[in-house]
Amino acid sequence: MENNTMNRTRIRTIIFKVFVYTFLVGFAIFVLIPFYWMVLTSFKSFEQVRTEVPPSLFIGFKELRIIENYTSAWLAAPYWEYMLRTVAVAAISTIGTIFTTIFAAFAFARLNFKGRDILFLALISTMMIPGEMFVITNYITVSNLGWYQSVGQTQLEAMLALTMPFMTSVFYLFFLRQAFKQIPDELYLAAKVDGTSDWKYLWKIMVPIASPTIITIIILNAMGTWSAYIWPKLVAGPYPLVTNGLREAYQDFFGIVNYSQQMAAALIVTLPLLIVFLFLKKYIMRGVSRSGIKG
């Protein structure tokens, strides 16, 4: 009787594990399909992409167009110009985001002032609004400030239009506030007894302790800027970034897109992000785990 019970339990455990692993493998395949399709298309010729119906899921070694497609993709657009501009935009917006997030998170996590919780709740509630809703108001704002104009826009104005609307983030504020809340109150009270100012306590104690979360915010914000498309498309004018610049670099006069070269360009642009993620993923995981859920 006891052996039968143990066998049934073992069978249920095996079935459960098979179900879980099947689901995970299926989900992983679902996530990897777009990347596989991008790499596969970048290896095909222009004629293959346009004439294959349905498109083949594999490609023979003799049909590979690696050197041809990637060389043409690299020469068709000013890569270094786009990348340097994107790195500059990512650096400026990330530095601004970090400073505003640290100050705001410290105020909401440590300082006591009237209406603090209501104000924080109001800020958090804005996360329920889709980000696309802010595009119109941001566009009107940068246009009224003279940072975007269809003719005669300078590079400085383009930089201001690309970075200033993203100097703050409610999500990162919530993220860092949770990390600051993990620091014991006794530490703050002991520092105050020793005569430490809030400014010094913030930079000498709280920021070093929450550094994994801050590093995570830096990585996520930089990756978001690198892959942004809609906003640069609207306000960058003659100074495009890698996303919108390369999106239009592979169309001919009649609007026909060379998808082989475009996918090769997409893979070239994706590689830096992939390398950054692989090298820094432990910091992202550590930052997320340390942010906790303390209210």
Side-chain angles (χ1 to χ4, degrees):
M1 184 68 180
E2 187 177 349
N3 289 334
N4 290 336
T5 304
M6 290 178 64
N7 288 335
R8 281 198 294 270
T9 304
R10 190 178 301 167
I11 291 172
R12 286 198 196 101
T13 304
I14 293 173
I15 293 174
F16 178 75
K17 284 185 178 179
V18 169
F19 176 77
V20 169
Y21 283 108
T22 303
F23 173 78
L24 292 177
V25 170
F27 190 76
I29 293 173
F30 180 76
V31 170
L32 289 174
I33 282 177
F35 294 97
Y36 174 73
W37 197 261
M38 177 177 67
V39 175
L40 181 68
T41 306
S42 71
F43 291 165
K44 292 182 177 180
S45 66
F46 177 73
E47 291 74 20
Q48 275 182 292
V49 175
R50 290 190 62 83
T51 57
E52 283 184 343
V53 180
S56 61
L57 298 178
F58 304 96
I59 185 171
F61 182 76
K62 293 182 179 178
E63 298 172 316
L64 292 178
R65 296 289 185 275
I66 299 176
I67 297 177
E68 179 184 336
N69 286 345
Y70 281 80
T71 304
S72 302
W74 183 267
L75 296 176
Y79 266 84
W80 289 115
E81 179 186 335
Y82 292 165
M83 285 189 176
L84 288 176
R85 191 178 296 128
T86 306
V87 169
V89 170
I92 294 170
S93 65
T94 300
I95 292 171
T97 300
I98 287 299
F99 275 98
T100 56
T101 302
I102 287 175
F103 291 138
F106 177 75
F108 284 114
R110 185 56 58 197
L111 302 183
N112 293 316
F113 56 90
K114 193 173 182 180
R116 183 188 68 172
D117 294 337
I118 295 176
L119 181 58
F120 182 71
L121 184 62
L123 285 174
I124 291 298
S125 64
T126 61
M127 292 173 63
M128 303 295 290
I129 304 173
E132 288 75 10
M133 296 291 290
F134 296 109
V135 171
I136 299 173
T137 54
N138 286 338
Y139 181 80
I140 294 172
T141 302
V142 298
S143 297
N144 291 337
L145 290 172
W147 295 342
Y148 173 69
Q149 43 201 320
S150 56
V151 179
Q153 185 188 33
T154 66
Q155 186 147 342
L156 176 62
E157 291 170 345
M159 278 289 180
L160 291 171
L162 288 167
T163 56
M164 293 306 291
F166 303 100
M167 289 289 186
T168 60
S169 169
V170 176
F171 172 71
Y172 295 149
L173 165 60
F174 171 77
F175 199 45
L176 188 57
R177 174 185 176 271
Q178 299 307 104
F180 281 169
K181 294 284 282 185
Q182 303 295 320
I183 301 172
D185 295 340
E186 290 77 9
L187 202 59
Y188 178 69
L189 297 175
K192 297 302 288 184
V193 169
D194 291 338
T196 304
S197 64
D198 286 338
W199 178 266
K200 191 174 180 180
Y201 177 76
L202 170 63
W203 293 106
K204 295 289 185 183
I205 297 176
M206 295 193 79
V207 169
I209 293 176
S211 58
T213 304
I214 295 173
I215 292 172
T216 302
I217 293 173
I218 292 173
I219 297 169
L220 294 178
N221 193 78
M223 293 173 71
T225 305
W226 185 272
S227 58
Y229 176 75
I230 295 177
W231 186 249
K233 174 69 176 174
L234 283 176
V235 302
Y239 307 100
L241 305 185
V242 286
T243 50
N244 59 312
L246 296 180
R247 172 69 176 79
E248 299 165 355
Y250 304 100
Q251 293 183 3
D252 62 13
F253 180 76
F254 300 102
I256 299 175
V257 180
N258 189 328
Y259 289 107
S260 301
Q261 293 182 7
Q262 194 175 63
M263 292 300 104
L267 185 58
I268 294 172
V269 173
T270 305
L271 281 178
L273 275 184
L274 188 62
I275 293 170
V276 168
F277 177 77
L278 291 177
F279 277 98
L280 301 179
K281 66 178 181 180
K282 66 178 181 181
Y283 296 104
I284 297 177
M285 302 306 174
R286 192 185 304 168
V288 172
S289 64
R290 286 199 178 188
S291 63
I293 55 173
K294 184 177 180 180

